[in-house]
Amino acid sequence: MEDPAAGTPVPQFARTPYAAGFTRGTTGFVLTTVHVLWGNNTADRLPEITAFAQWMRDWAKRPDDWNENLLVLGDFNLDRIGDPLYEAFVSTGLWPPAELQDVPRTIFDHDKTRHFYDQIAWFSEPDGTTMLKTLTYTGHAGHVDFLPHIYTELTKQKISWRISDHYPLWTEFTTRTP
């Protein structure tokens, strides 16, 4: 993409992040999703994860800009908690709930190859105080294991091409009037 004014390339994400706003009662919230490019090695993913986390943080700090309850979700292609990719993801205050730490992310994960590709997260202050205004996380989260319910005659490899190799993640919130 080029800057129309200067005619020069403008940095952009490999896959455009999407945001959608929703309202439940008087509570508004925005879900923003991204799919970070896989790359040949983890170092290839680091610049995009870092830039996305900072872009989201900048959005969260803007006053009155559809950011009262800003949640981030998607495939960040994180390998494991504590690695440089995960640290770049959480470095700006994005925190996934602890209840998602031990859930499988892909149909191919097992105890020796646990990944943290997919995440649901929101911003917290350095002291741990949530930046969500009218949403309260209930402490309930998990994944949906669809394997026992669909295409039971197919291999995992074939299911990954028909549905996905990723399990859907979920979190639960309550709403409160400001």
Side-chain angles (χ1 to χ4, degrees):
M1 178 174 170
E2 289 190 6
D3 178 352
T8 59
V10 174
Q12 62 183 8
F13 298 111
R15 297 175 183 146
T16 303
Y18 289 95
F22 301 89
T23 302
R24 169 75 168 106
T26 59
T27 299
F29 57 99
V30 175
L31 303 179
T32 305
T33 184
V34 71
H35 187 173
V36 172
L37 201 59
W38 171 251
N40 292 327
N41 60 56
T42 56
D44 293 342
R45 291 175 257 162
L46 189 58
E48 188 173 30
I49 290 171
T50 302
F52 179 77
Q54 188 57 56
W55 180 69
M56 291 304 303
R57 182 60 181 196
D58 292 346
W59 181 1
K61 292 190 318 188
R62 292 190 307 245
D64 304 320
D65 196 13
W66 298 92
N67 59 4
E68 182 176 276
N69 294 304
L70 188 60
L71 295 109
V72 175
L73 48 137
D75 182 349
F76 293 87
N77 280 311
L78 305 175
D79 286 326
R80 59 199 50 81
I81 292 175
D83 77 359
L85 298 172
Y86 186 85
E87 293 306 315
F89 178 72
V90 300
S91 68
T92 60
L94 275 173
W95 286 101
E99 291 75 15
L100 289 179
Q101 284 186 8
D102 294 325
V103 302
R105 299 307 206 273
T106 79
I107 63 176
F108 300 112
D109 270 357
H110 52 75
D111 289 341
K112 293 183 181 179
T113 60
R114 186 66 54 104
H115 298 91
F116 297 89
Y117 297 147
D118 304 303
Q119 296 290 335
I120 300 173
W122 51 91
F123 287 100
S124 296
E125 298 293 351
D127 67 359
T129 304
T130 183
M131 290 178 66
L132 298 174
K133 301 295 184 203
T134 55
L135 288 178
T136 302
Y137 175 60
T138 66
H140 297 106
H143 77 292
V144 177
D145 183 358
F146 55 83
L147 287 177
H149 307 289
I150 56 163
Y151 296 119
T152 55
E153 72 283 2
L154 297 181
T155 65
K156 285 183 179 181
Q157 187 67 37
K158 289 181 179 178
I159 290 172
S160 76
W161 290 105
R162 291 219 177 168
I163 303 293
S164 178
D165 63 325
H166 295 255
Y167 289 118
L169 299 179
W170 61 270
T171 53
E172 180 182 74
F173 297 87
T174 60
T175 60
R176 62 183 186 274
T177 304

